Amino acid sequence: MKTPITVAYGDGIGPEIMAASLQILMAAGAQLEPETIDIGEAVYLRGHSSGIQPESWESLRRTRVFYKAPISTPQGGGFKSLNVTVRKTLGLYANIRPCRAYAPYVYTHHPKLDIVIIRENEEDLYAGIEHRQSDEVYQCLKLISRPGCEKIVRTAFEYARANNRKKVSCFTKDNIMKMTDGLFHKVFDEIGAEYPDIEKDHWIVDIGMARVATQPQRFDVIVTPNLYGDILSDIAAELTGSVGLAGSANIGEHVAMFEAVHGTAPDIAGQDKANPSGLLMAGVMMLVHLGQHEVASRVHNAWLRTLEEGIHTPDLYREGVSKQLVGTCAFAEAVIARLGQLPQHFAPYTPRPPAKRELIGVDVFLDYEPRQPALLGESLQKAAAGLPLSLSMITNRGVKVFPNGFPETFCTDHWRCRFTGTDGKHPTNQDVIGLLQQVINAGFEVIKTENLYTFDGEAGYSLGQGQ
Ligand code: NAI
């Protein structure tokens, strides 16, 4: 089944690199049905001050996936940046930009660079609220919200997990902006505690950015508010060797947009010189987003192979390293000719499909004063009688105390009561709610619950000590 996507060819080099990228994606077997919309310069000049026609929003709302070439915003005349409008209107709160060195095939001072910048995309100084307050003083409001911080920080940790990344670094200036950046840092610490498997650290943004520029190999995933992220992501893309290489994803709850990080490159537009790689890599991220992992791998690996064989567009071409200077169209043909081949120098790209998650039970945490595990166990068994979830154990501070607990074990008033599907059956969320209702009806104080999942059949929770 083909997935409809909205495509915009944009301005400058946009039409050339979009045609080349789509040609490669389709040749690799992408199941896409592109709907083209018109955006950018021509639309601005037709009198739409936001660079997009009202009917184009319909396509975006329908497909929820936007594959976008760069566009130019005419200077002056009250034209609004389409990128900012699209991000804010569609709630694309996260900008994800992987930046990686491709040494020795692409020249860079930092051959080990491999970082992902995750930038908050809607808030901070980009809320666009500015005032002139007096003859001498102007202000720009910096807005940071707790839900905004929570969404972007969680995105960063989930991205790290899904992509087998080891560390997430947070960049803020909370030594000066103690409330706004302080909140971002605080939420990073709070949410980070839920990801014990991932290393984390915090950097004051100025020294953090300086270290990215000089020792990028120290970093893995970086999460940061909007303005710092905007600056940092261009520094990181530039360090890889060419702005023509990086793609980015803008992710929201309902819609996602994929684009190259560079602009319309008017100096080389229409000359078959542009490198389509940035838009192509954004296309690979789009295929992963759409669950077409295998096609994404085919494209990425054929592209790595093309780079390795020294087939380079003018922005990458270097005597002694490159073998063949090609234009946009010939580069696309070279990638297509290598579909199905793996790179020899670089590790092949294999995006990990999300694991299949299944609910198998729930840990119910109780505040319960009588320190008698057997009494608690029997009462809970009675409360859950006849339900699709049954009590399998109770722990106190992680040690199993029911069934068959040791009378010597010291107990506090904090109990973790594990219920799993009766007769090994998978319970539903409704079953969990039903269980909680019964436990509360029996007079217990439920202070917290934690669902128990398996991921591809593997337990996503630890066993109780002594279980
Ligand atoms: P730019 O990224 O278009 O160009 C900077 C330099 O990089 C130029 O020398 C250009 O030739 C080169 N370059 C960029 N992409 C390349 C590619 N794929 N292959 C080979 N060389 C490449 O930045 P600039 O000149 O500041 O902006 C030009 C226009 O692009 C402006 O109108 C700006 O508003 C717009 N722009 C649009 C963006 C978007 O739609 N997402 C993002 C950034 C700029």
Side-chain angles (χ1 to χ4, degrees), residues 13 17 68-75 83 87 242-245 259-268 273-278 313-315:
I13 58 170
I17 58 172
K68 175 183 160 294
I71 59 143
S72 40
T73 312
Q75 294 298 309
N83 287 327
R87 271 184 219 144
S242 169
V243 283
L245 288 172
E259 61 179 345
V261 304
H262 58 73
T264 57
D267 50 336
I268 54 168
K273 283 186 181 164
N275 185 348
S277 299
T313 43
D315 56 316

Side-chain angles (χ1 to χ4, degrees), residues 293-304:
H293 295 84
E294 215 173 293
V295 193
S297 302
R298 272 164 70 74
V299 173
H300 201 152
N301 287 328
W303 175 77
L304 287 172

Side-chain angles (χ1 to χ4, degrees), residues 57-353:
W57 292 109
E58 282 308 308
S59 171
L60 288 168
R61 266 191 215 108
R62 194 169 50 249
T63 67
R64 297 167 169 227
V65 178
F66 191 14
Y67 193 28
K68 175 183 160 294
I71 59 143
S72 40
T73 312
Q75 294 298 309
F79 298 112
K80 285 197 177 304
S81 158
L82 174 65
N83 287 327
V84 175
T85 306
V86 168
R87 271 184 219 144
K88 298 199 77 161
T89 310
L90 300 178
L92 307 180
Y93 60 83
N95 182 285
I96 302 175
R97 183 184 291 193
C99 294
R100 177 186 161 188
Y102 297 97
Y105 306 101
V106 178
Y107 180 76
T108 165
H109 289 296
H110 302 290
K112 295 217 167 97
L113 185 152
D114 184 7
I115 56 182
V116 182
I117 315 287
I118 299 193
R119 160 190 170 195
E120 199 290 318
N121 229 0
E122 294 181 292
E123 307 194 333
D124 196 359
L125 290 158
Y126 290 59
I129 305 174
E130 295 189 286
H131 295 95
R132 179 172 182 173
Q133 295 190 318
S134 67
D135 186 46
E136 294 179 352
V137 173
Y138 297 71
Q139 102 175 342
C140 175
L141 263 193
K142 176 173 168 108
L143 291 178
I144 300 276
S145 75
R146 178 170 263 280
C149 297
E150 287 172 354
K151 279 197 290 188
I152 195 69
V153 168
R154 197 167 287 288
T155 300
F157 280 104
E158 287 295 323
Y159 181 93
R161 248 192 202 162
N163 292 277
N164 210 11
R165 298 258 172 185
K166 305 281 176 269
K167 182 165 130 184
V168 180
S169 304
C170 173
F171 283 17
T172 72
K173 187 81 182 171
D174 66 340
N175 53 333
I176 303 294
M177 283 159 282
K178 294 187 165 60
M179 294 188 73
T180 47
D181 282 23
L183 176 64
F184 197 95
H185 186 172
K186 186 163 177 251
V187 170
F188 176 77
D189 288 343
E190 283 170 13
I191 291 182
E194 296 174 31
Y195 295 83
D197 49 321
I198 294 172
E199 221 186 297
K200 35 203 121 28
D201 57 12
H202 171 267
W203 292 75
I204 298 294
V205 63
D206 32 13
I207 185 64
M209 283 207 208
R211 285 285 152 80
V212 168
T214 53
Q215 301 170 34
Q217 67 281 2
R218 291 176 70 151
F219 297 94
D220 196 346
V221 174
I222 300 173
V223 63
T224 186
N226 205 341
L227 176 65
Y228 313 141
D230 195 2
I231 299 166
L232 179 63
S233 53
D234 269 26
I235 295 174
E238 189 71 16
L239 288 173
T240 66
S242 169
V243 283
L245 288 172
S248 76
N250 292 271
I251 306 285
E253 239 132 69
H254 309 291
V255 181
M257 175 171 89
F258 301 87
E259 61 179 345
V261 304
H262 58 73
T264 57
D267 50 336
I268 54 168
Q271 301 169 40
D272 192 38
K273 283 186 181 164
N275 185 348
S277 299
L279 193 57
L280 184 65
M281 289 303 101
V284 168
M285 293 170 91
M286 176 174 72
L287 290 176
V288 171
H289 174 79
L290 294 173
Q292 299 184 29
H293 295 84
E294 215 173 293
V295 193
S297 302
R298 272 164 70 74
V299 173
H300 201 152
N301 287 328
W303 175 77
L304 287 172
R305 182 72 183 245
T306 309
L307 281 190
E308 282 181 359
E309 289 190 20
I311 301 170
H312 294 164
T313 43
D315 56 316
L316 303 184
Y317 192 86
R318 274 171 80 90
E319 281 303 335
V321 175
S322 308
K323 298 275 180 327
Q324 195 186 340
L325 178 64
V326 289
T328 315
C329 297
F331 183 81
E333 280 157 21
V335 176
I336 290 170
R338 284 157 186 77
L339 286 170
Q341 295 182 26
L342 294 177
Q344 314 253 285
H345 170 86
F346 295 121
Y349 172 76
T350 43
R352 195 169 63 80

